[in-house]
Amino acid sequence: MPSKPAPPITIDAVYAAPGYLFRRMQQIAVSIFMEECKAFDLTPVQYAALIAIHTHPGIDATRLSAVIAFDRSTLGSVIERLQAKDFIERKPAPEDKRIKLLYLTKSGAAILREIIPAVERAQARMLEPLKPADRKALMGLLVQLVDLNNEASRVPLRAEDALEHMGKAG
């Protein structure tokens, strides 16, 4: 059986590749988020961390990493920045003082309440160019792709496993 000839190497092939398009959309998504949320001086990852800490007060950094699917080594600097902004505080775990548990401060809770409309505007802007039916279809396909490819990630989403150990799943 003759082998299939290799496709030509062109920039158009790159532009049409799913990985390239996902990367470009990630760049666009972050840009829109930063534009809409510039008054709050938060990145998308910082926002996700605040939401997770709000939802699961007393979460530790390892579980936070699993809940937001963000690598543990980089998450340390995210936590430090949030603490420097006085949005979170770290308290030693009662059973093991080496483990630091994360809690929102009053200013952290306040910024979350204030930023929500800007985040919602950003999310809407990302999909705005599409027709409503296409938005729904795209979101359904993205959820499916992310779920089916979770294990291929450098940092798979492990929210349920992590929260099970906290005794606060949900």
Side-chain angles (χ1 to χ4, degrees):
M1 174 178 252
S3 64
K4 191 175 174 182
I9 301 171
T10 67
I11 195 67
D12 288 340
V14 171
Y15 293 159
Y20 174 82
L21 292 169
F22 291 141
R23 183 185 65 80
R24 285 289 296 137
M25 193 59 226
Q26 168 65 8
Q27 290 174 319
I28 293 164
V30 169
S31 179
I32 290 171
F33 180 97
M34 297 304 289
E35 185 179 312
E36 288 293 340
C37 300
K38 66 181 165 237
F40 303 96
D41 190 30
L42 282 179
T43 66
V45 173
Q46 290 171 348
Y47 171 74
L50 287 176
I51 291 287
I53 295 166
H54 166 75
T55 306
H56 308 288
I59 194 168
D60 62 75
T62 300
R63 287 183 177 84
L64 178 61
S65 171
V67 167
I68 66 172
F70 198 74
D71 67 284
R72 177 69 181 90
S73 58
T74 310
L75 187 62
S77 63
V78 170
I79 290 169
E80 287 173 14
R81 284 188 198 97
L82 291 173
Q83 189 173 19
K85 294 176 183 183
D86 193 37
F87 294 155
I88 64 169
E89 58 185 344
R90 294 189 238 197
K91 297 179 181 177
E95 66 281 353
D96 185 345
K97 302 291 184 213
R98 295 170 299 172
I99 298 173
K100 302 297 183 226
L101 306 180
L102 306 171
Y103 298 89
L104 285 186
T105 61
K106 286 183 182 175
S107 58
I111 200 159
L112 265 187
R113 285 190 302 274
E114 294 168 20
I115 198 173
I116 296 291
V119 172
E120 288 175 352
R121 281 192 309 274
Q123 301 301 317
R125 276 185 59 198
M126 290 172 206
L127 297 176
E128 188 176 4
L130 299 176
K131 295 175 187 157
D134 291 339
R135 292 175 200 155
K136 185 175 181 175
L138 176 63
M139 289 305 299
L141 289 170
L142 283 173
V143 167
Q144 187 178 352
L145 271 173
V146 168
D147 183 52
L148 294 172
N149 284 306
N150 187 53
E151 296 307 315
S153 173
R154 282 185 19 241
V155 187
L157 181 65
R158 298 272 189 253
E160 289 179 14
D161 294 345
L163 297 174
E164 180 180 297
H165 297 290
M166 285 184 67
K168 298 180 181 181

